[in-house]
Amino acid sequence: MTTLEARRAAARERQELATTLQAPLYIQACPGAGKTRVIVNRHLAAAHAGGARGRAVVSFTNVACDEVVQRCRDAGKPQLTAFPNYVGTIDTFLWRYIVRPFLSGDRIWNRIDSWDRIGATVAVWQGQICHKLRLSDFLWSREPDETQCQAQLVRKTRNIKAYLALAKAGQLNAAGRAAVRRRDQLATKGYITGHEARIRALRMLRDHRSHAIGIISSRFDEIVIDEAQDCSALDLAILTKLRNAGIPLVFVCDPDQAIYEFRGAQPENVRTFGTTLGSCVDLVGNWRSSPAICAFAATLRPSGAQATDDPVGPHHDEGAGVLLIPAKNPRDEQTLARFNQHADALGIATERRLVLAHAAATLPSVARVGPSTPPDNHSARAAWAASVLGASIAGKTLRETAFEVFERLILHYWYTESDIDNRTVAAACEHLGLDPSQLRQLAARLISDLPDVDRTPFGAWCAAANARLRQSAPEPGKPRRDASGSLRAGSIADKTTRAAGGTPGPSLDQAIRTNIIHQVKGEEEDAVLVVVPEDTRTGTRTDDLIEAWLSDDHTSVVAESLRVLYVASTRARRLLALTFPEAYRDRVAAYLNDRAVPFHMTTQVAIAPQRSEHTAPP
């Protein structure tokens, strides 16, 4: 049998090869294979002493970019994150180097990460009934060779009544066309999301090819695309033009982690593009997870690609098996209690635990941070934001959204809707002649002066907030327009403020971090609890997902949902726990037994769990 050191040496050899081979290059990496280490080492190895050319390292999330930045700093090379290099998201890269240089100067352009940043809505009429829908509730797509976008309304809890009414009337397509028209109106005002930036980038590479390619080739001698499995058809069309123009590309991905197929990221298209780059390196060895977690993850891959990754990291001899928690209601507090009990037995600190689900609404209620987007109601939005900002575990993006809610609350209280609506906070401040930094400070003071969201009825909280808002004029002597910006509790005045905002109690300040799966790609924790996901967006029920998994039938309908489960499971280092409907207890146990996956069931099962050298007793 090959020794651990020999296996580790083989894994390091592949990393070294991926670090030194010249671009163009295709790198495939399993979870925990050290792709970030390769990207950073490649960056460090070819560091420039000076000059105008550098390297671009782009990814799809700020988390992945921040990790590259931090590792460069830890290596004593912070200059590798600054000019002439670039480390950042692909959205910013396309905007900065391909789109912005060719935009007209007839308007002020604003790149936004979501239509929610400007509160963009569209009115869709169904006879005499008007449905007001958020543009962010539409899924946007466009084939590279098409001239028009498609917008598809996504069924969500917040728009369910409108969605069902429009679906029954056969007007979902009409709603999509209305959303495209509204988007086009906002574009004339200079607002561009990542989707619109990609369309413009492709157009610029077509209409201004030599100039656009010249900008990139004179600045960068290599572009590294991290998490490339997230590339949409538009992304691949853009990269194809760069490749054809001779721009050296390093394409780093794991197609099994492609969980944005609903945005046009097709695993097979990603693989096909990677093979056109010539040289290919497969990173082997999993430095992150235990043997049981590696074995379980293999069962989630399509049939024929179920080889188990080789655990070569610090947890290569971890004895804990996968923890299965069948439950009538996976969201009840007993689910989290059982997970914590086993994590405690393994000595895993609470801050090293993570609870994941496909959507915030399906997280265990006692651990759930709440909706990742605020309610539509003006007053409830304020309650939601106050609850989020009172939680120590709320993420950076969520906190920024909550701060913007309070900034808009102040502006709405003192100015007219026409001054604020369909503008970013920054654009509204520019329009009104306000200093954005002073508005942020005003919002922070307002937040600190508000009553406790758990002990204060919503009616009393709104009254206190209105009183404080009257003392928060953004301009000295500023008169109010009218009372429309005031907070009103309405029929839910007796609820707690937290409940009014739609966030669960009793407190958001939980030690265990929770998140939705799409927001933790690239992350890892010692212990991870996964609520086997139900995807309301695609209509994939939990039952459908489990049936597909147990039958190895990865049809196109559920394939992406299985990859979502794969991504969630491979975040774990030492303990992976899954909770799923109790009816599947015996079948899941039999399936894992057949595949020699060590596991432990929290309830008595008909089939005894298989023991192995890697299976720990309960």
Side-chain angles (χ1 to χ4, degrees):
M1 181 177 179
T2 306
T3 66
L4 174 64
E5 285 310 311
R7 289 153 46 208
R8 285 177 169 175
R12 292 190 183 102
E13 182 180 350
R14 304 302 293 177
Q15 290 181 351
E16 181 65 20
L17 183 62
T19 300
T20 55
L21 275 178
Q22 289 193 347
L25 176 62
Y26 177 33
I27 301 174
Q28 290 192 122
C30 70
K35 68 176 180 59
T36 303
R37 178 188 179 93
V38 165
I39 290 170
V40 173
N41 286 349
R42 188 178 184 90
H43 200 30
L44 296 173
H48 292 273
R53 301 181 76 208
R55 173 185 282 102
V57 179
V58 304
S59 191
F60 286 80
T61 65
N62 287 314
V63 170
C65 297
D66 291 345
E67 184 175 0
V68 173
V69 169
Q70 188 58 51
R71 292 199 188 190
C72 287
R73 290 174 178 168
D74 292 343
K77 298 288 184 67
Q79 67 273 18
L80 293 182
T81 65
F83 181 89
N85 303 289
Y86 169 84
V87 178
T89 64
I90 190 170
D91 288 44
T92 302
F93 178 84
L94 296 175
W95 169 258
R96 185 179 296 178
Y97 299 109
I98 303 180
V99 176
R100 191 171 62 184
F102 302 100
L103 292 175
S104 63
D106 60 349
R107 72 200 74 171
I108 298 174
W109 296 92
N110 292 278
R111 183 176 66 88
I112 54 178
D113 58 1
S114 166
W115 288 118
D116 281 339
R117 284 285 180 244
I118 61 172
T121 59
V122 58
V124 178
W125 288 89
Q126 179 195 350
Q128 299 298 313
I129 302 173
C130 180
H131 301 287
K132 189 176 181 181
L133 301 168
R134 298 188 193 186
L135 283 191
S136 60
D137 282 353
F138 288 84
L139 182 62
W140 302 85
S141 62
R142 179 167 172 169
E143 292 300 317
D145 55 352
E146 295 291 332
T147 59
Q148 295 295 326
C149 282
Q150 301 294 320
Q152 177 186 353
L153 181 62
V154 178
R155 176 175 171 170
K156 298 182 178 180
T157 301
R158 67 189 184 196
N159 67 22
I160 186 64
K161 290 183 179 179
Y163 182 94
L164 293 176
L166 291 169
K168 185 177 181 180
Q171 291 188 267
L172 288 177
N173 289 339
R177 291 191 295 271
V180 172
R181 290 193 296 271
R182 181 64 179 138
R183 189 281 310 267
D184 291 344
Q185 292 172 357
L186 293 170
T188 64
K189 297 181 180 180
Y191 289 108
I192 296 178
T193 69
H195 176 69
E196 285 71 43
R198 284 162 168 77
I199 294 170
R200 288 178 179 269
L202 198 56
R203 185 186 308 159
M204 301 312 180
L205 287 168
R206 181 194 64 202
D207 297 344
H208 306 279
R209 182 183 183 279
S210 60
H211 190 182
I213 295 299
I215 291 174
I216 296 173
S217 61
S218 63
R219 174 68 186 273
F220 303 111
D221 53 19
E222 180 176 285
I223 299 176
V224 180
I225 303 97
D226 185 23
E227 302 285 357
Q229 69 271 3
D230 293 340
C231 285
S232 66
L234 285 173
D235 293 322
L236 293 178
I238 292 167
L239 293 176
T240 297
K241 289 189 177 294
L242 297 182
R243 180 203 64 195
N244 293 346
I247 303 296
L249 304 178
V250 179
F251 197 69
V252 187
C253 77
D254 177 6
D256 290 328
Q257 295 190 61
I259 59 174
Y260 288 97
E261 188 172 342
F262 63 95
R263 294 181 184 171
Q266 300 282 346
E268 287 309 313
N269 293 343
V270 168
R271 287 189 180 93
T272 299
F273 178 84
T275 58
T276 67
L277 297 177
S279 300
C280 176
V281 176
D282 288 320
L283 298 183
V284 297
N286 187 317
W287 298 84
R288 174 187 300 160
S289 300
S290 71
I293 296 168
C294 288
F296 179 86
T299 70
L300 294 167
R301 292 183 175 128
S303 180
Q306 294 188 342
T308 300
D309 296 332
D310 184 13
V312 295
H315 308 299
H316 69 278
D317 58 353
E318 174 65 63
V322 174
L323 175 63
L324 305 179
I325 310 177
K328 291 181 179 179
N329 179 10
R331 291 182 52 224
D332 69 26
E333 59 184 286
Q334 287 302 312
T335 298
L336 190 62
R338 292 169 183 171
F339 170 64
N340 284 330
Q341 180 183 14
H342 283 262
D344 288 342
L346 292 171
I348 297 175
T350 52
E351 62 268 21
R352 296 270 68 89
R353 305 175 193 178
L354 176 63
V355 183
L356 295 174
H358 197 289
T362 56
L363 286 164
S365 56
V366 294
R368 183 158 51 96
V369 168
S372 58
T373 55
D376 287 325
N377 179 272
H378 171 64
S379 301
R381 287 170 72 86
W384 174 89
S387 299
V388 167
L389 291 170
S392 63
I393 61 170
K396 179 180 177 182
T397 301
L398 206 60
R399 292 180 66 82
E400 180 62 26
T401 300
F403 263 115
E404 286 198 1
V405 167
F406 270 95
E407 290 168 345
R408 285 187 177 277
L409 175 64
I410 294 170
L411 294 176
H412 191 199
Y413 189 88
W414 288 98
Y415 299 94
T416 65
E417 290 185 5
S418 61
D419 290 325
I420 305 162
D421 286 356
N422 297 320
R423 287 188 171 97
T424 61
V425 170
C429 286
E430 183 175 358
H431 174 72
L432 297 166
L434 301 176
D435 183 344
S437 63
Q438 291 184 3
L439 178 62
R440 175 58 61 95
Q441 293 172 13
L442 194 62
R445 289 197 296 271
L446 171 62
I447 293 162
S448 66
D449 290 342
L450 292 176
D452 184 272
V453 295
D454 290 312
R455 298 192 179 104
T456 312
F458 190 41
W461 190 87
C462 285
N466 287 330
R468 187 65 185 84
L469 280 165
R470 284 195 293 273
Q471 304 169 21
S472 305
E475 298 176 90
K478 168 70 182 174
R480 286 188 72 193
R481 178 197 63 172
D482 53 40
S484 65
S486 299
L487 298 180
R488 295 178 174 85
S491 62
I492 56 175
D494 293 335
K495 284 189 174 184
T496 67
T497 302
R498 181 184 300 284
T503 53
S507 173
L508 286 178
D509 196 13
Q510 302 285 340
I512 299 178
R513 187 163 63 99
T514 66
N515 214 327
I516 62 174
I517 297 166
H518 285 79
Q519 293 181 357
V520 298
K521 286 187 65 177
E523 296 188 37
E524 57 186 61
E525 274 306 354
D526 284 344
V528 176
L529 168 63
V530 181
V531 180
V532 175
E534 179 171 313
D535 188 352
T536 56
R537 175 183 46 77
T538 62
T540 302
R541 300 178 304 119
T542 302
D543 288 352
D544 298 332
L545 178 63
I546 296 178
E547 289 290 350
W549 171 43
L550 298 180
S551 63
D552 292 327
D553 185 15
H554 292 225
T555 62
S556 58
V557 177
V558 298
E560 183 180 6
S561 295
L562 285 166
R563 291 195 296 271
V564 171
L565 183 56
Y566 175 83
V567 167
S569 302
T570 55
R571 300 311 93 199
R573 288 191 286 250
R574 297 182 56 198
L575 174 64
L576 169 64
L578 292 99
T579 181
F580 51 87
E582 201 168 44
Y584 287 95
R585 180 185 62 188
D586 293 347
R587 288 183 61 193
V588 169
Y591 179 83
L592 295 183
N593 264 322
D594 287 346
R595 284 152 183 78
V597 178
F599 68 91
H600 174 68
M601 192 84 72
T602 59
T603 56
Q604 186 176 0
V605 294
I607 300 176
Q610 175 174 315
R611 296 293 182 201
S612 76
E613 61 178 324
H614 299 305
T615 305

